[in-house]
Amino acid sequence: MNESSFRWGDKFWEMDLAKIEEYIGAIQSLIKSDTSLIGSDGLVHIYLATEDPKAHNEFLAAVPSHWRVYADITLQEINAFRPVKGNRASHATRNTKGKAGLVAMGSLLVALEAKTYVLTTKSNFSSLINHLRRKIVNRQCRNNEGNIIDDDACTVAIDLRPDVW
């Protein structure tokens, strides 16, 4: 499964937002380099980690018909608590009495099941996914001698908006 982390909402303060076409191009690049991402049913399965209904809807409208997109549960669980304007996580957290944070942790766990990632690590959530991917998930991959392989051996990521560490 491929994971795409769309961090739109209020992220325009932090970075130039990646366009839908950039995400789709990155996913197509990953598929081209690893055809095992195409399932036996001929479909490409994508988990879309976003809490932003606009990002979700635009992505669904743009993907090829042989892609199956699985929506982040945050869209359903938190949508009623979103502010009219913007995408302030603090607003949703306060109004859900913390449920928004619990749902975000569930979203994070599902995202870490992926083999490939399209991220924008200038976003804190994408950065968290990337760190956990490299330092926890990839560390479970071992060579024939049982030694840990390097940090990017098991999963692959394309970072559309890299952050500097």
Side-chain angles (χ1 to χ4, degrees):
M1 178 168 64
N2 179 66
E3 189 275 339
S4 284
S5 179
F6 268 74
R7 310 321 292 175
W8 275 6
D10 61 353
K11 298 304 170 198
F12 65 90
W13 294 107
E14 299 173 6
M15 65 183 172
D16 291 333
L17 299 180
K19 295 180 177 9
I20 297 293
E21 297 78 21
E22 291 178 79
Y23 284 98
I24 290 176
I27 295 168
Q28 289 171 330
S29 174
L30 290 167
I31 295 165
K32 187 176 182 180
S33 66
D34 183 357
T35 56
S36 73
L37 295 173
I38 302 170
S40 59
D41 54 5
L43 301 174
V44 175
H45 299 273
I46 298 167
Y47 174 65
L48 183 60
T50 186
E51 79 290 355
D52 190 319
K54 181 179 178 189
H56 175 259
N57 293 338
E58 287 188 28
F59 187 77
L60 286 181
V63 299
S65 61
H66 65 283
W67 290 12
R68 289 295 173 265
V69 179
Y70 303 91
D72 189 328
I73 193 66
T74 309
L75 287 167
Q76 295 174 354
E77 294 289 326
I78 307 303
N79 198 40
F81 301 97
R82 294 171 58 84
V84 176
K85 185 176 181 183
N87 196 30
R88 298 182 316 248
S90 61
H91 184 274
T93 301
R94 182 178 56 252
N95 291 333
T96 62
K97 297 184 170 85
K99 182 178 180 182
L102 179 62
V103 172
M105 291 299 103
S107 174
L108 179 63
L109 290 173
V110 173
L112 291 172
E113 294 293 320
K115 179 178 178 183
T116 60
Y117 297 80
V118 177
L119 304 168
T120 54
T121 59
K122 280 192 175 181
S123 153
N124 291 332
F125 198 74
S126 278
S127 183
L128 178 60
I129 290 171
N130 196 46
H131 284 293
L132 292 172
R133 172 191 76 83
R134 294 184 73 226
K135 300 300 182 186
I136 304 293
V137 175
N138 285 355
R139 294 288 170 105
Q140 296 177 35
C141 297
R142 299 180 181 269
N143 62 19
N144 292 336
E145 291 79 39
N147 298 321
I148 295 173
I149 303 172
D150 70 62
D151 287 346
D152 288 311
C154 292
T155 63
V156 178
I158 293 177
D159 192 350
L160 299 176
R161 298 292 182 271
D163 196 11
V164 178
W165 292 97

